[in-house]
Amino acid sequence: TQPLNPTDTSTDNIEDLDPFILRVESIYTQLNERKIDVPRNWEKVEDPVLRAAYVRFLLSKGKLALPHHWIHTEDQILFAEYYRAQLVKQFGDIPEVHTFVAFRERRKFGIPIKDADEYLTFLKAQYTLWPMEETLETLENLEKRMAEGANIVFGPVEVP
């Protein structure tokens, strides 16, 4: 899989953000499979998607430390990668961390929830990471409504 055009990161449409996020995944996968390499001057790369993929890769390989003040990162794609690294550090490199971060990233960029299954997967990941009663109640309620065949519709997202 080739990364999408690494120089075209502009978007005026919310639907364009999903491929934008998928580019990070694609590039990260290619880096892991050694199909492409991180350039020596990766910090100077202007494309935020490429930079985020490089950061994810370098963090996952222990070749880059999580910045002390990562929480104040304004680049939202880079912020998501720092958040992922923090959760991996806290919980380990488990699927629930990646599911949780991917869902939160999509929501932060205003990408709507696809369906009840996507939301259920997110809730299960969240409950695994932070087993709170409220999450369990929401999870059980959603499972019950799905089993009853309820038509669950998620509304549009307003991006702050």
Side-chain angles (χ1 to χ4, degrees):
T1 306
Q2 290 296 321
L4 300 176
N5 183 347
T7 59
D8 182 14
T9 60
S10 62
T11 182
D12 295 324
N13 189 339
I14 218 116
E15 286 83 29
D16 293 339
L17 288 170
D18 200 18
F20 196 67
I21 293 168
L22 292 174
R23 279 187 56 229
V24 175
E25 292 294 328
S26 173
I27 295 164
Y28 175 73
T29 298
Q30 292 178 67
L31 288 164
N32 268 321
E33 293 173 352
R34 303 183 91 37
K35 292 181 180 177
I36 59 174
D37 294 319
V38 177
R40 291 187 190 271
N41 63 344
W42 68 269
E43 299 103 328
K44 295 179 182 175
V45 170
E46 291 184 25
D47 180 348
V49 173
L50 280 172
R51 205 172 42 249
Y54 296 153
V55 165
R56 183 190 298 182
F57 179 76
L58 294 169
L59 284 166
S60 73
K61 301 299 181 194
K63 296 182 179 200
L64 182 66
L66 191 60
H68 291 297
H69 301 290
W70 69 268
I71 196 80
H72 301 295
T73 303
E74 291 183 24
D75 178 331
Q76 292 303 306
I77 297 173
L78 192 54
F79 176 89
E81 296 311 323
Y82 288 150
Y83 189 40
R84 179 187 315 273
Q86 176 61 41
L87 294 179
V88 166
K89 186 176 175 183
Q90 185 175 350
F91 296 106
D93 193 1
I94 58 175
E96 291 83 358
V97 165
H98 301 285
T99 298
F100 180 83
V101 172
F103 182 89
R104 293 284 304 262
E105 183 177 27
R106 291 173 54 83
R107 301 295 292 157
K108 188 163 198 109
F109 285 113
I111 299 169
I113 299 170
K114 286 187 267 186
D115 54 28
D117 287 328
E118 180 186 34
Y119 188 52
L120 184 66
T121 301
F122 163 74
L123 288 172
K124 287 178 179 180
Q126 181 175 326
Y127 187 73
T128 298
L129 301 173
W130 299 283
M132 297 173 53
E133 189 63 31
E134 298 86 11
T135 305
L136 182 59
E137 288 173 10
T138 304
L139 180 58
E140 289 172 344
N141 185 23
L142 181 59
E143 286 177 325
K144 179 181 175 195
R145 293 187 65 209
M146 288 172 69
E148 292 169 349
N151 182 21
I152 301 167
V153 178
F154 298 93
V157 177
E158 289 187 29
V159 179

